[in-house]
Amino acid sequence: MYERILIPTDGSECADSAVDHAIDIATQYDAELHVLSVVDTRDMSHSAPAISPQQVEQTLRERAESVVESVAERAADAGVEAVTAVEPGVPDDVVVEYAADHDCDLVVMGTHGRTGLQRYLLGSVTERTVRRSSVPVLTVRGTDD
């Protein structure tokens, strides 16, 4: 049923809960796991004047690479083949495009249950991904939700 499962992650506790589910599903279906972290290019404009946008991007990229490698190691420990990627852009755009470009059958991602006016006005990466994805999206609440 599933051959390629995408797990977008930012290294947060909620995303970590989704990783457990994605690895379990990949194990059950002998599926390849695609581990993606997005360097949000919108974050570059909010840096302090003393820090160049290139420095900010490099720091964010290094953190993202560390996160995807950590997830890939967890997958390998479970006997799951993992492909890692770090991509720049707007997170929900990149997730939707990556899933389509790599023929992923399922996206598994965390949600932190944002509420109130902020959620209404801004939405979340997960909500926008669910609305736009052409494949099923399994959302997983974090342990603190």
Side-chain angles (χ1 to χ4, degrees):
M1 175 173 242
Y2 301 117
E3 293 179 21
R4 283 170 297 285
I5 299 170
L6 174 59
I7 177 73
T9 182
D10 59 4
S12 68
E13 194 172 316
C14 191
D16 198 48
S17 293
V19 167
D20 292 336
H21 287 270
I23 291 173
D24 186 50
I25 294 168
T27 300
Q28 290 178 33
Y29 288 97
D30 193 27
E32 181 179 74
L33 190 65
H34 286 249
V35 185
L36 171 68
S37 189
V38 179
V39 176
D40 191 340
T41 54
R42 298 172 299 180
D43 288 347
M44 308 307 151
S45 64
H46 302 296
S47 64
I51 303 171
S52 74
Q54 293 82 10
Q55 288 173 306
V56 172
E57 182 175 3
Q58 182 62 29
T59 299
L60 293 173
R61 178 170 285 283
E62 288 170 2
R63 182 178 186 284
E65 288 170 353
S66 174
V67 167
V68 297
E69 288 306 319
S70 175
V71 172
E73 288 174 15
R74 288 170 58 187
D77 290 345
V80 173
E81 180 183 347
V83 175
T84 62
V86 174
E87 301 286 340
V90 177
D92 50 295
D93 290 342
V94 174
V95 170
V96 170
E97 289 170 19
Y98 186 97
D101 291 348
H102 293 85
D103 295 320
C104 294
D105 308 301
L106 176 68
V107 178
V108 180
M109 60 192 306
T111 178
H112 53 75
R114 194 184 311 183
T115 59
L117 185 59
Q118 182 182 20
R119 177 180 175 204
Y120 177 75
L121 293 175
L122 301 176
S124 74
V125 171
T126 303
E127 290 171 320
R128 290 187 301 270
T129 301
V130 166
R131 284 196 302 266
R132 298 176 51 214
S133 178
S134 60
V135 299
V137 179
L138 172 64
T139 60
V140 179
R141 287 192 177 276
T143 56
D144 60 342
D145 290 343

